[in-house]
Amino acid sequence: MTTFHGTCLCGGVKFEVDADPGTLRFCHCTSCKHLSGGAGTVNFPASPSAIRIVEGHELIQSFTPEGGSAKSFCRNCGANLFGGGWPDSDRCSVRVTTIEGPVDADIGVHLFVRSLEPWETLPDDDAQRFETTSR
Ligand SMILES: [Zn+2]
Ligand SMILES: [Zn+2]
Protein backbone atom coordinates (compact mmCIF):
# COMPACT_ATOMS: atom_id res chain seq x y z
CA MET A 1 0.00 0.00 0.00
CA THR A 2 1.26 3.43 -0.95
CA THR A 3 0.05 6.82 0.20
CA PHE A 4 -0.43 9.11 -2.77
CA HIS A 5 -0.89 12.86 -2.59
CA GLY A 6 -3.43 14.42 -4.89
CA THR A 7 -4.47 17.92 -5.80
CA CYS A 8 -6.74 19.72 -8.22
CA LEU A 9 -5.58 22.19 -10.85
CA CYS A 10 -5.91 25.30 -8.65
CA GLY A 11 -4.48 23.59 -5.58
CA GLY A 12 -7.55 24.35 -3.47
CA VAL A 13 -8.28 20.68 -2.89
CA LYS A 14 -5.60 18.47 -1.44
CA PHE A 15 -6.08 14.84 -0.49
CA GLU A 16 -4.24 11.67 0.40
CA VAL A 17 -5.19 8.20 -0.67
CA ASP A 18 -3.86 4.82 0.39
CA ALA A 19 -3.99 2.54 -2.60
CA ASP A 20 -2.22 -0.24 -4.38
CA PRO A 21 -2.92 0.67 -8.02
CA GLY A 22 -1.18 -2.25 -9.75
CA THR A 23 -2.51 -1.25 -13.13
CA LEU A 24 -4.57 1.72 -14.28
CA ARG A 25 -7.98 1.75 -15.91
CA PHE A 26 -8.54 4.00 -18.92
CA CYS A 27 -12.22 4.85 -19.33
CA HIS A 28 -13.17 6.08 -22.80
CA CYS A 29 -16.88 6.57 -22.07
CA THR A 30 -18.75 9.65 -23.27
CA SER A 31 -19.14 11.03 -19.73
CA CYS A 32 -15.41 10.81 -19.11
CA LYS A 33 -14.73 12.49 -22.45
CA HIS A 34 -17.11 15.30 -21.59
CA LEU A 35 -15.70 15.95 -18.16
CA SER A 36 -12.04 15.57 -19.10
CA GLY A 37 -11.95 17.51 -22.35
CA GLY A 38 -10.02 14.66 -23.90
CA ALA A 39 -10.07 10.95 -24.62
CA GLY A 40 -11.39 10.02 -21.17
CA THR A 41 -10.11 9.45 -17.68
CA VAL A 42 -7.36 7.24 -16.29
CA ASN A 43 -8.16 5.87 -12.87
CA PHE A 44 -7.17 3.50 -10.14
CA PRO A 45 -9.64 2.00 -7.70
CA ALA A 46 -9.69 2.91 -4.04
CA SER A 47 -11.92 2.51 -1.06
CA PRO A 48 -13.60 5.85 -0.25
CA SER A 49 -12.48 5.35 3.36
CA ALA A 50 -8.87 5.35 2.14
CA ILE A 51 -9.26 8.91 0.79
CA ARG A 52 -8.57 11.73 3.22
CA ILE A 53 -9.43 15.25 2.14
CA VAL A 54 -6.65 17.36 3.64
CA GLU A 55 -7.79 20.75 2.35
CA GLY A 56 -10.69 22.23 0.39
CA HIS A 57 -13.50 19.87 1.30
CA GLU A 58 -15.92 22.78 0.75
CA LEU A 59 -14.73 23.10 -2.86
CA ILE A 60 -15.68 19.57 -3.83
CA GLN A 61 -18.89 19.20 -5.78
CA SER A 62 -20.41 16.12 -7.39
CA PHE A 63 -22.39 15.53 -10.51
CA THR A 64 -24.19 12.31 -11.37
CA PRO A 65 -24.87 11.78 -15.07
CA GLU A 66 -28.00 9.85 -15.99
CA GLY A 67 -27.30 6.15 -15.74
CA GLY A 68 -23.85 6.77 -14.31
CA SER A 69 -22.14 7.18 -10.97
CA ALA A 70 -21.25 10.42 -9.20
CA LYS A 71 -18.18 12.27 -10.40
CA SER A 72 -16.56 14.78 -8.06
CA PHE A 73 -14.64 17.87 -9.02
CA CYS A 74 -13.20 21.10 -7.67
CA ARG A 75 -15.76 23.88 -7.91
CA ASN A 76 -13.04 26.46 -8.38
CA CYS A 77 -10.97 24.98 -11.21
CA GLY A 78 -13.18 22.16 -12.54
CA ALA A 79 -10.55 19.45 -12.15
CA ASN A 80 -12.14 16.03 -11.83
CA LEU A 81 -10.96 14.18 -8.74
CA PHE A 82 -12.99 11.03 -8.12
CA GLY A 83 -15.52 8.90 -9.93
CA GLY A 84 -17.46 5.78 -9.17
CA GLY A 85 -19.80 7.34 -6.64
CA TRP A 86 -17.34 8.70 -4.08
CA PRO A 87 -17.90 9.02 -1.15
CA ASP A 88 -21.02 6.84 -0.92
CA SER A 89 -19.85 3.70 -2.73
CA ASP A 90 -17.85 0.64 -1.68
CA ARG A 91 -15.21 1.28 -4.33
CA CYS A 92 -14.56 4.50 -6.17
CA SER A 93 -12.05 5.62 -8.74
CA VAL A 94 -9.29 8.17 -8.33
CA ARG A 95 -8.28 10.20 -11.38
CA VAL A 96 -4.60 9.50 -11.78
CA THR A 97 -4.17 13.01 -13.23
CA THR A 98 -4.68 14.44 -9.73
CA ILE A 99 -1.76 12.54 -8.21
CA GLU A 100 1.42 14.52 -7.62
CA GLY A 101 4.52 12.80 -8.94
CA PRO A 102 4.67 9.83 -11.26
CA VAL A 103 2.44 6.82 -10.62
CA ASP A 104 4.51 3.80 -11.57
CA ALA A 105 1.80 1.73 -13.28
CA ASP A 106 0.74 0.84 -16.81
CA ILE A 107 -2.73 0.84 -18.28
CA GLY A 108 -4.28 -2.55 -17.50
CA VAL A 109 -7.69 -2.13 -19.13
CA HIS A 110 -9.40 0.10 -21.66
CA LEU A 111 -13.08 0.51 -20.79
CA PHE A 112 -15.95 1.63 -23.05
CA VAL A 113 -13.98 1.19 -26.26
CA ARG A 114 -17.36 1.26 -28.04
CA SER A 115 -17.27 5.01 -27.38
CA LEU A 116 -13.97 5.61 -29.20
CA GLU A 117 -14.13 8.70 -31.38
CA PRO A 118 -12.64 8.97 -34.88
CA TRP A 119 -9.93 11.27 -33.51
CA GLU A 120 -8.95 8.74 -30.87
CA THR A 121 -6.42 5.93 -31.35
CA LEU A 122 -5.90 3.17 -28.82
CA PRO A 123 -2.24 2.57 -28.07
CA ASP A 124 -0.72 -0.70 -29.13
CA ASP A 125 -0.46 -1.98 -25.58
CA ASP A 126 -1.21 -5.31 -23.93
CA ALA A 127 -4.13 -3.92 -21.97
CA GLN A 128 -7.46 -5.73 -22.04
CA ARG A 129 -10.26 -3.97 -23.91
CA PHE A 130 -13.90 -3.94 -22.92
CA GLU A 131 -16.85 -2.68 -24.96
CA THR A 132 -18.34 -1.23 -21.79
CA THR A 133 -17.31 -2.01 -18.23
CA SER A 134 -15.13 -4.90 -17.16
CA ARG A 135 -17.95 -6.46 -15.13
ZN1 LIG B 1 -9.24 23.40 -7.86
ZN1 LIG C 1 -15.95 6.81 -18.03
Side-chain angles (χ1 to χ4, degrees), residues 21-54:
T23 58
L24 303 175
R25 300 161 67 81
F26 196 145
C27 185
H28 299 266
C29 82
T30 52
S31 292
C32 285
K33 282 190 171 66
H34 246 125
L35 65 84
S36 71
T41 61
V42 180
N43 304 277
F44 60 83
S47 161
S49 62
I51 297 175
R52 297 177 294 282
I53 307 299
V54 178

Short mmCIF file of all heavy atoms in Angstrom, two decimals, residues 21-54:
data_model
loop_
_atom_site.label_atom_id
_atom_site.label_comp_id
_atom_site.label_asym_id
_atom_site.label_seq_id
_atom_site.Cartn_x
_atom_site.Cartn_y
_atom_site.Cartn_z
N PRO A 21 -2.31 0.60 -6.69
CA PRO A 21 -2.92 0.67 -8.02
C PRO A 21 -2.64 -0.54 -8.91
O PRO A 21 -3.52 -0.93 -9.66
CB PRO A 21 -2.33 1.93 -8.65
CG PRO A 21 -1.71 2.69 -7.54
CD PRO A 21 -1.40 1.72 -6.45
N GLY A 22 -1.47 -1.14 -8.84
CA GLY A 22 -1.18 -2.25 -9.75
C GLY A 22 -1.18 -1.78 -11.18
O GLY A 22 -0.15 -1.41 -11.73
N THR A 23 -2.36 -1.79 -11.79
CA THR A 23 -2.51 -1.25 -13.13
C THR A 23 -3.60 -0.18 -13.12
O THR A 23 -4.40 -0.10 -12.18
CB THR A 23 -2.88 -2.33 -14.16
OG1 THR A 23 -4.08 -2.96 -13.74
CG2 THR A 23 -1.77 -3.35 -14.32
N LEU A 24 -3.61 0.62 -14.17
CA LEU A 24 -4.57 1.72 -14.28
C LEU A 24 -5.68 1.36 -15.24
O LEU A 24 -5.51 0.50 -16.11
CB LEU A 24 -3.84 2.98 -14.77
CG LEU A 24 -2.66 3.42 -13.90
CD1 LEU A 24 -1.95 4.60 -14.55
CD2 LEU A 24 -3.12 3.78 -12.49
N ARG A 25 -6.81 2.02 -15.09
CA ARG A 25 -7.98 1.75 -15.91
C ARG A 25 -8.32 3.01 -16.72
O ARG A 25 -8.60 4.05 -16.15
CB ARG A 25 -9.16 1.35 -15.01
CG ARG A 25 -8.84 0.11 -14.18
CD ARG A 25 -9.76 -0.03 -12.98
NE ARG A 25 -11.14 -0.27 -13.34
CZ ARG A 25 -11.64 -1.46 -13.68
NH1 ARG A 25 -10.86 -2.53 -13.67
NH2 ARG A 25 -12.89 -1.59 -14.00
N PHE A 26 -8.28 2.87 -18.02
CA PHE A 26 -8.54 4.00 -18.92
C PHE A 26 -10.00 3.90 -19.36
O PHE A 26 -10.38 2.96 -20.05
CB PHE A 26 -7.61 3.92 -20.13
CG PHE A 26 -7.50 5.20 -20.93
CD1 PHE A 26 -6.29 5.56 -21.51
CD2 PHE A 26 -8.59 6.05 -21.11
CE1 PHE A 26 -6.16 6.73 -22.25
CE2 PHE A 26 -8.47 7.22 -21.84
CZ PHE A 26 -7.27 7.56 -22.42
N CYS A 27 -10.81 4.87 -18.96
CA CYS A 27 -12.22 4.85 -19.33
C CYS A 27 -12.45 5.83 -20.48
O CYS A 27 -12.21 7.03 -20.35
CB CYS A 27 -13.10 5.22 -18.14
SG CYS A 27 -14.85 5.07 -18.56
N HIS A 28 -12.94 5.28 -21.59
CA HIS A 28 -13.17 6.08 -22.80
C HIS A 28 -14.63 6.47 -22.96
O HIS A 28 -15.05 6.85 -24.05
CB HIS A 28 -12.72 5.27 -24.04
CG HIS A 28 -11.27 4.90 -24.03
ND1 HIS A 28 -10.29 5.65 -24.66
CD2 HIS A 28 -10.62 3.86 -23.45
CE1 HIS A 28 -9.11 5.07 -24.49
NE2 HIS A 28 -9.28 3.99 -23.76
N CYS A 29 -15.44 6.34 -21.92
CA CYS A 29 -16.88 6.57 -22.07
C CYS A 29 -17.18 8.04 -22.38
O CYS A 29 -16.34 8.92 -22.19
CB CYS A 29 -17.64 6.10 -20.83
SG CYS A 29 -17.65 7.26 -19.46
N THR A 30 -18.40 8.29 -22.85
CA THR A 30 -18.75 9.65 -23.27
C THR A 30 -18.77 10.61 -22.09
O THR A 30 -18.42 11.78 -22.24
CB THR A 30 -20.11 9.65 -23.99
OG1 THR A 30 -21.07 9.00 -23.17
CG2 THR A 30 -20.02 8.92 -25.32
N SER A 31 -19.17 10.15 -20.91
CA SER A 31 -19.14 11.03 -19.73
C SER A 31 -17.72 11.45 -19.41
O SER A 31 -17.44 12.63 -19.15
CB SER A 31 -19.74 10.32 -18.51
OG SER A 31 -21.11 10.10 -18.66
N CYS A 32 -16.80 10.49 -19.44
CA CYS A 32 -15.41 10.81 -19.11
C CYS A 32 -14.80 11.74 -20.16
O CYS A 32 -13.98 12.60 -19.84
CB CYS A 32 -14.58 9.55 -18.95
SG CYS A 32 -14.92 8.69 -17.38
N LYS A 33 -15.20 11.56 -21.42
CA LYS A 33 -14.73 12.49 -22.45
C LYS A 33 -15.22 13.89 -22.15
O LYS A 33 -14.47 14.87 -22.17
CB LYS A 33 -15.24 12.05 -23.82
CG LYS A 33 -14.46 10.89 -24.42
CD LYS A 33 -14.89 10.69 -25.88
CE LYS A 33 -13.98 9.70 -26.57
NZ LYS A 33 -14.11 8.33 -26.02
N HIS A 34 -16.52 14.01 -21.86
CA HIS A 34 -17.11 15.30 -21.59
C HIS A 34 -16.42 16.01 -20.44
O HIS A 34 -16.10 17.19 -20.51
CB HIS A 34 -18.59 15.12 -21.24
CG HIS A 34 -19.50 15.72 -22.25
ND1 HIS A 34 -20.49 15.00 -22.87
CD2 HIS A 34 -19.58 16.97 -22.75
CE1 HIS A 34 -21.14 15.79 -23.70
NE2 HIS A 34 -20.60 16.98 -23.66
N LEU A 35 -16.22 15.28 -19.36
CA LEU A 35 -15.70 15.95 -18.16
C LEU A 35 -14.20 16.20 -18.24
O LEU A 35 -13.69 17.09 -17.57
CB LEU A 35 -16.09 15.18 -16.90
CG LEU A 35 -15.53 13.78 -16.67
CD1 LEU A 35 -14.16 13.83 -16.04
CD2 LEU A 35 -16.47 13.00 -15.76
N SER A 36 -13.50 15.43 -19.07
CA SER A 36 -12.04 15.57 -19.10
C SER A 36 -11.57 16.52 -20.20
O SER A 36 -10.45 17.02 -20.15
CB SER A 36 -11.38 14.21 -19.32
OG SER A 36 -11.61 13.75 -20.64
N GLY A 37 -12.42 16.72 -21.22
CA GLY A 37 -11.95 17.51 -22.35
C GLY A 37 -10.97 16.77 -23.22
O GLY A 37 -10.23 17.38 -23.99
N GLY A 38 -10.96 15.46 -23.12
CA GLY A 38 -10.02 14.66 -23.90
C GLY A 38 -10.57 13.27 -24.14
O GLY A 38 -11.78 13.07 -24.21
N ALA A 39 -9.68 12.31 -24.25
CA ALA A 39 -10.07 10.95 -24.62
C ALA A 39 -10.80 10.21 -23.50
O ALA A 39 -11.43 9.19 -23.75
CB ALA A 39 -8.84 10.16 -25.04
N GLY A 40 -10.72 10.71 -22.28
CA GLY A 40 -11.39 10.02 -21.17
C GLY A 40 -10.62 10.25 -19.89
O GLY A 40 -9.89 11.23 -19.75
N THR A 41 -10.82 9.32 -18.95
CA THR A 41 -10.11 9.45 -17.68
C THR A 41 -9.28 8.20 -17.43
O THR A 41 -9.63 7.11 -17.89
CB THR A 41 -11.09 9.61 -16.49
OG1 THR A 41 -11.94 8.46 -16.42
CG2 THR A 41 -11.93 10.87 -16.66
N VAL A 42 -8.19 8.36 -16.71
CA VAL A 42 -7.36 7.24 -16.29
C VAL A 42 -7.45 7.18 -14.77
O VAL A 42 -7.25 8.20 -14.09
CB VAL A 42 -5.91 7.41 -16.76
CG1 VAL A 42 -5.07 6.23 -16.30
CG2 VAL A 42 -5.86 7.54 -18.28
N ASN A 43 -7.78 6.01 -14.29
CA ASN A 43 -8.16 5.87 -12.87
C ASN A 43 -7.48 4.67 -12.22
O ASN A 43 -7.07 3.73 -12.90
CB ASN A 43 -9.67 5.62 -12.76
CG ASN A 43 -10.49 6.69 -13.42
OD1 ASN A 43 -10.73 7.73 -12.83
ND2 ASN A 43 -10.89 6.47 -14.66
N PHE A 44 -7.42 4.73 -10.90
CA PHE A 44 -7.17 3.50 -10.14
C PHE A 44 -8.24 3.41 -9.05
O PHE A 44 -8.76 4.42 -8.59
CB PHE A 44 -5.75 3.43 -9.58
CG PHE A 44 -5.34 4.54 -8.64
CD1 PHE A 44 -5.66 4.50 -7.29
CD2 PHE A 44 -4.61 5.62 -9.12
CE1 PHE A 44 -5.26 5.51 -6.44
CE2 PHE A 44 -4.21 6.65 -8.27
CZ PHE A 44 -4.54 6.59 -6.92
N PRO A 45 -8.58 2.17 -8.69
CA PRO A 45 -9.64 2.00 -7.70
C PRO A 45 -9.13 2.26 -6.29
O PRO A 45 -7.94 2.03 -6.00
CB PRO A 45 -10.06 0.55 -7.88
CG PRO A 45 -8.88 -0.13 -8.47
CD PRO A 45 -8.09 0.90 -9.21
N ALA A 46 -10.03 2.72 -5.45
CA ALA A 46 -9.69 2.91 -4.04
C ALA A 46 -10.97 2.76 -3.23
O ALA A 46 -12.07 2.87 -3.75
CB ALA A 46 -9.09 4.28 -3.81
N SER A 47 -10.79 2.50 -1.97
CA SER A 47 -11.92 2.51 -1.06
C SER A 47 -12.13 3.96 -0.63
O SER A 47 -11.17 4.64 -0.28
CB SER A 47 -11.58 1.63 0.14
OG SER A 47 -12.44 1.95 1.21
N PRO A 48 -13.38 4.46 -0.68
CA PRO A 48 -13.60 5.85 -0.25
C PRO A 48 -13.02 6.14 1.14
O PRO A 48 -12.59 7.26 1.40
CB PRO A 48 -15.12 5.98 -0.27
CG PRO A 48 -15.55 5.03 -1.34
CD PRO A 48 -14.60 3.87 -1.21
N SER A 49 -13.01 5.12 2.00
CA SER A 49 -12.48 5.35 3.36
C SER A 49 -10.97 5.53 3.36
O SER A 49 -10.39 5.97 4.35
CB SER A 49 -12.87 4.19 4.27
OG SER A 49 -12.30 2.99 3.80
N ALA A 50 -10.33 5.19 2.24
CA ALA A 50 -8.87 5.35 2.14
C ALA A 50 -8.49 6.73 1.60
O ALA A 50 -7.32 7.04 1.43
CB ALA A 50 -8.28 4.27 1.25
N ILE A 51 -9.51 7.56 1.30
CA ILE A 51 -9.26 8.91 0.79
C ILE A 51 -9.48 9.91 1.92
O ILE A 51 -10.54 9.92 2.54
CB ILE A 51 -10.20 9.23 -0.39
CG1 ILE A 51 -9.91 8.28 -1.56
CG2 ILE A 51 -10.04 10.69 -0.82
CD1 ILE A 51 -10.87 8.44 -2.73
N ARG A 52 -8.46 10.70 2.20
CA ARG A 52 -8.57 11.73 3.22
C ARG A 52 -8.43 13.10 2.57
O ARG A 52 -7.39 13.40 1.98
CB ARG A 52 -7.47 11.54 4.28
CG ARG A 52 -7.57 10.23 5.04
CD ARG A 52 -6.42 10.06 6.02
NE ARG A 52 -5.13 9.92 5.34
CZ ARG A 52 -4.68 8.79 4.76
NH1 ARG A 52 -5.43 7.71 4.77
NH2 ARG A 52 -3.50 8.77 4.16
N ILE A 53 -9.50 13.90 2.66
CA ILE A 53 -9.43 15.25 2.14
C ILE A 53 -8.67 16.11 3.15
O ILE A 53 -9.09 16.27 4.29
CB ILE A 53 -10.84 15.84 1.90
CG1 ILE A 53 -11.68 14.90 1.04
CG2 ILE A 53 -10.74 17.23 1.27
CD1 ILE A 53 -11.14 14.62 -0.35
N VAL A 54 -7.52 16.61 2.74
CA VAL A 54 -6.65 17.36 3.64
C VAL A 54 -7.05 18.84 3.65
O VAL A 54 -6.99 19.51 4.68
CB VAL A 54 -5.18 17.21 3.21
CG1 VAL A 54 -4.24 18.02 4.10
CG2 VAL A 54 -4.77 15.74 3.21
#
